[in-house]
Amino acid sequence: PSPCTPSHINLFYPIRCPTDGDHLIWTEENFRLTAGNWDAQLDISFPSAKEGMHEEKDRFLPYSTMKMPHEAPADGYVPTWHYTATTYSPSTARDNAGFFLRTRVKLDGKGDIVSANYTKIIGDFRLDARGFMMFASYFNPVPNDRNLEFDPKQNLFPANFPGAKVSDP
């Protein structure tokens, strides 16, 4: 068997496999995995009360460097989100939408939020029916700080981490 199996191929940024003269060995199984008709669904849910996603459509500016507001909204979060994808129809991922996430929520005795962390995701979740998902997120580790203005000098990932050199807000 080839060491470059379809599960190691990034379907959005194809690479050549280092086997068989730098090409993927096209067995019937590999062909079915890469060219077959596949359906997929992704359900995103949050474990705690008042956690969730907020879709940002109205204030999303696809033509701007600052595509989304720098501050996450205080309300409007839903606890579940559903996606579907197929390999035999055009992608449903949108470039003109983004999301805010509220996670790590702690509540007081009355059910009011005492502490929460916020994240923004610019663009839609990219879901491939063969099992690949991609999204870019910006997480603020400071509890209750809804400011999600990205400062590349304060990135939490080490400089040598793949993809850590980010410059977009």
Side-chain angles (χ1 to χ4, degrees):
S2 169
C4 189
T5 60
S7 63
H8 294 97
I9 298 172
N10 182 330
L11 298 169
F12 289 101
Y13 302 103
I15 58 170
R16 301 178 108 193
C17 292
T19 61
D20 191 32
D22 205 28
H23 296 284
L24 176 65
I25 298 171
W26 284 104
T27 63
E28 184 176 350
E29 179 184 351
N30 286 346
F31 184 75
R32 283 185 184 159
L33 285 170
T34 55
N37 289 343
W38 295 92
D39 296 302
Q41 61 181 5
L42 169 67
D43 292 307
I44 300 170
S45 61
F46 296 82
S48 299
K50 300 199 178 182
E51 292 183 341
M53 292 176 65
H54 172 94
E55 183 175 11
E56 187 58 65
K57 289 191 275 189
D58 297 336
R59 299 182 299 165
F60 191 88
L61 305 173
Y63 51 82
S64 173
T65 303
M66 187 73 144
K67 293 177 179 13
M68 293 176 61
H70 76 278
E71 187 172 73
D75 54 16
Y77 294 85
V78 296
T80 60
W81 203 263
H82 180 77
Y83 279 94
T84 60
T86 68
T87 57
Y88 50 87
S89 64
S91 172
T92 57
R94 302 162 295 163
D95 290 326
N96 62 346
F99 299 91
F100 290 104
L101 307 180
R102 181 169 56 202
T103 59
R104 300 181 181 180
V105 172
K106 294 178 185 169
L107 304 175
D108 64 14
K110 294 187 270 179
D112 295 328
I113 295 175
V114 175
S115 176
N117 288 87
Y118 295 88
T119 303
K120 74 176 171 182
I121 296 173
I122 298 176
D124 214 347
F125 289 85
R126 308 278 181 197
L127 177 63
D128 183 273
R130 291 161 281 218
F132 181 79
M133 184 176 76
M134 181 174 73
F135 61 93
S137 65
Y138 303 88
F139 175 77
N140 187 339
V142 179
N144 295 331
D145 187 357
R146 295 185 295 131
N147 182 5
L148 292 163
E149 205 168 10
F150 181 68
D151 181 357
K153 294 181 183 110
Q154 294 186 28
N155 193 346
L156 295 176
F157 286 112
N160 61 350
F161 188 83
K165 294 183 186 209
V166 180
S167 58
D168 281 346

